[in-house]
Amino acid sequence: MDEAVGDLKQALPCVTDTPAVHVEVHQRAGSTARKDDIRQSVRKLLSRHSIVFGDYTWTEFDDPFLSRNVQSVAIVDTELKAKDPQPIDLSACTVALHIFQLNEDGPSGENLEEEAESIVAANHWVLPAAEFHGLWESLVYDAEVKSHLLDYMMTTLLFSDKKVDSNLVAWNRVVLLHGPPGTGKTSLCKALAQKLSIRLSGRFRYGQLIEINSHSLFSKWFSESGKLVTKMFQKIQDIIDDKDGLVFVLIDEVESLTAARSASRASAEPSDAIRVVNAVLTQIDQIQRHSNVVILTTSNITEKIDLAFVDRADIRQYIGPPSAAAIFKIYLSCLEELMKLLTLRELEMIGFIENNVSRLSLLLSDISRKSEGLSGRVLRKLPFLAHALYIQAPTVTIEGFLQALSLAVDKQFEEKKQLSSCV
């Protein structure tokens, strides 16, 4: 057996083009153990499991110290660039450990005073936050969207560390995710902020996410909106001044703050809209000079965004509806979750993978293909609707659940058709 393992290890180099295997260690909320002690125990754990197949998570440990202090140890993100899970020899790779504790507090509000009233201009999280735990893993895309975003951030950090002259090599720390509603753009921004707060925990003591409430910055008092934008970014500047923190500024539906100025000039709209765009561009230019800030933006209608803002985005990533292959993975994750809760009687998942030709796998593939065109937001609701509308029992077989899921998909398209005919 030992000889067979040795031969296998020789045939398994570290994943191609992967500089490190990342291991995320979730320290329990009440644990006061030193990170060095946790790191040492986790390395012993990994040394006993030197070969893994793709991403893997341990939640139970033989080591009493790990059981007391660690919620989970997860090998992560090895499958972002690989179509299928690949065998990895950990002893031949650089293993990067990221130890973190989740912040259990919810978001706080950032208030601005205007005339005699207070405006909640932003929500503010300290990262990594319990609210976003598992969000990154739940998002499924066809292209290498997540790996591209991580690579962008690593290059941004590298260029900052090496003090590359941004006048000669330009980068602006601005990401724009665009596409139709319901495709997970905002969730991806929050998940990316959470992921990087963990990935860079050795460099920054904590992360912060500031989600600007774009609509609240438009004042009912004429010409005040530009001033509110400036006030909001001044608050962000104060937060950025703490270099121990990595700051993410999220502007959802950025077109509401960066509407094309050419359209405003050509219409009878008040010039306040132009003042807002000018203020946003000015403030972004000021804060992007700091090495500990990233600006994340989303848009459903990019044609309405001012070109000066679009030009500032280093990455303009389209996020569209998932393909059949991605839908299969979304449904499969839903089935696995329901199995944990014993909603499904058949607890055996062996062989239930995308390339398998088992009857159940083929049935799920057929359902996935006919689900194309539905957004990720809708797809995540369908298992619930399948149970509520067509099962209504505490337990059911996988086959029975898939039949209900197929009916729920048909009903969803029927409702969409009815809604479109009413418009």
Side-chain angles (χ1 to χ4, degrees):
M1 178 66 178
D2 291 339
E3 292 180 3
V5 171
D7 292 340
L8 179 58
K9 289 175 69 173
Q10 290 180 2
L12 299 178
C14 186
V15 177
T16 305
D17 297 329
T18 302
V21 172
H22 294 278
V23 179
E24 295 179 357
V25 182
H26 178 190
Q27 186 175 356
R28 292 186 183 276
S31 169
T32 57
R34 297 190 314 128
K35 287 190 175 182
D36 286 344
D37 294 335
I38 293 176
R39 186 174 289 106
Q40 183 178 1
S41 294
V42 170
R43 290 199 179 278
K44 288 180 181 178
L45 169 70
L46 297 177
S47 69
R48 297 195 299 271
H49 303 273
S50 59
I51 296 176
V52 294
F53 289 82
D55 294 354
Y56 190 82
T57 301
W58 289 271
T59 56
E60 296 181 356
F61 311 100
D62 295 331
D63 182 349
F65 175 80
L66 288 179
S67 297
R68 288 195 306 272
N69 294 286
V70 172
Q71 187 76 33
S72 64
V73 174
I75 296 173
V76 298
D77 301 329
T78 65
E79 300 173 16
L80 290 183
K81 296 183 179 180
K83 184 177 180 181
D84 299 306
Q86 299 294 317
I88 302 167
D89 179 9
L90 294 178
S91 65
C93 299
T94 300
V95 176
L97 294 182
H98 312 290
I99 303 171
F100 68 95
Q101 288 179 295
L102 293 175
N103 177 33
E104 300 289 343
D105 297 332
S108 59
E110 293 289 346
N111 297 327
L112 296 178
E113 301 300 327
E114 183 205 21
E115 296 298 322
E117 62 181 318
S118 180
I119 297 173
V120 180
N123 288 321
H124 184 179
W125 287 267
V126 176
L127 303 175
E131 183 175 339
F132 304 139
H133 187 53
L135 183 58
W136 176 265
E137 291 75 19
S138 73
L139 298 170
V140 180
Y141 299 100
D142 302 298
E144 298 172 349
V145 173
K146 294 198 284 189
S147 64
H148 286 165
L149 290 173
L150 285 176
D151 291 344
Y152 161 78
M153 285 306 308
M154 293 303 106
T155 299
T156 295
L157 191 62
L158 174 65
F159 278 33
S160 297
D161 286 346
K162 299 299 182 182
K163 297 186 176 2
V164 175
D165 190 341
S166 59
N167 293 316
L168 299 177
V169 180
W171 76 99
N172 295 314
R173 307 176 189 279
V174 178
V175 174
L176 171 61
L177 303 183
H178 62 97
T183 51
K185 299 181 294 296
T186 304
S187 294
L188 181 54
C189 287
K190 293 176 178 178
L192 178 63
Q194 176 93 338
K195 170 65 66 172
L196 290 169
S197 295
I198 294 171
R199 181 72 60 88
L200 300 175
S201 58
R203 179 186 178 89
F204 299 98
R205 285 198 302 109
Y206 56 90
Q208 299 192 72
L209 173 63
I210 303 163
E211 182 181 19
I212 294 177
N213 184 354
S214 303
H215 300 289
S216 72
L217 295 182
F218 275 99
S219 173
K220 65 183 180 181
W221 307 102
F222 181 71
S223 80
E224 290 297 310
S225 297
K227 295 178 182 177
L228 286 176
V229 169
T230 300
K231 286 182 181 179
M232 182 67 252
F233 276 91
Q234 284 173 347
K235 280 181 169 282
I236 294 172
Q237 179 67 62
D238 293 339
I239 296 170
I240 293 171
D241 286 341
D242 181 2
K243 300 306 178 185
D244 285 337
L246 178 60
V247 181
F248 299 90
V249 179
L250 171 56
I251 309 176
D252 202 16
E253 298 181 10
V254 70
E255 64 272 8
S256 62
L257 287 183
T258 58
R261 287 169 291 186
S262 58
S264 294
R265 294 189 186 103
S267 69
E269 294 181 21
S271 58
D272 199 26
I274 296 178
R275 292 191 183 95
V276 168
V277 179
N278 291 337
V280 169
L281 296 177
T282 298
Q283 296 301 319
I284 285 177
D285 288 342
Q286 289 181 5
I287 69 171
Q288 71 187 15
R289 294 196 295 265
H290 296 266
S291 61
N292 63 327
V293 64
V294 181
I295 301 167
L296 306 170
T297 66
T298 72
S299 176
N300 298 330
I301 40 177
T302 51
E303 64 272 13
K304 292 190 176 182
I305 302 177
D306 194 275
L307 288 178
F309 176 82
V310 175
D311 286 343
R312 283 165 169 77
D314 300 320
I315 292 182
R316 297 181 285 272
Q317 177 67 57
Y318 176 75
I319 308 293
S323 70
I327 293 172
F328 185 101
K329 293 178 181 178
I330 290 172
Y331 283 153
L332 189 57
S333 69
C334 294
L335 287 173
E336 290 171 341
E337 177 63 19
L338 292 175
M339 283 178 167
K340 292 178 188 177
L341 303 175
L342 302 180
T343 301
L344 304 180
R345 284 206 300 267
E346 298 180 32
L347 299 180
E348 188 61 62
M349 287 293 287
I350 294 176
F352 203 152
I353 58 175
E354 186 172 359
N355 294 326
N356 197 356
V357 292
S358 70
R359 182 168 53 86
L360 292 177
S361 182
L362 291 174
L363 177 56
L364 184 57
S365 294
D366 289 340
I367 297 172
S368 300
R369 281 192 292 272
K370 78 173 185 177
S371 300
E372 286 187 278
L374 299 177
S375 71
R377 181 185 299 162
V378 171
L379 292 169
R380 290 286 180 188
K381 293 179 182 178
L382 286 178
F384 167 79
L385 294 175
H387 189 282
L389 296 175
Y390 303 108
I391 297 173
Q392 300 173 355
T395 59
V396 64
T397 64
I398 292 180
E399 184 172 8
F401 189 86
L402 291 180
Q403 291 171 350
L405 181 60
S406 181
L407 292 173
V409 172
D410 293 337
K411 183 174 178 61
Q412 189 67 37
F413 279 108
E414 181 182 337
E415 290 176 351
K416 284 184 66 175
K417 186 177 179 180
Q418 292 172 347
L419 286 171
S420 60
S421 64
C422 295
V423 175

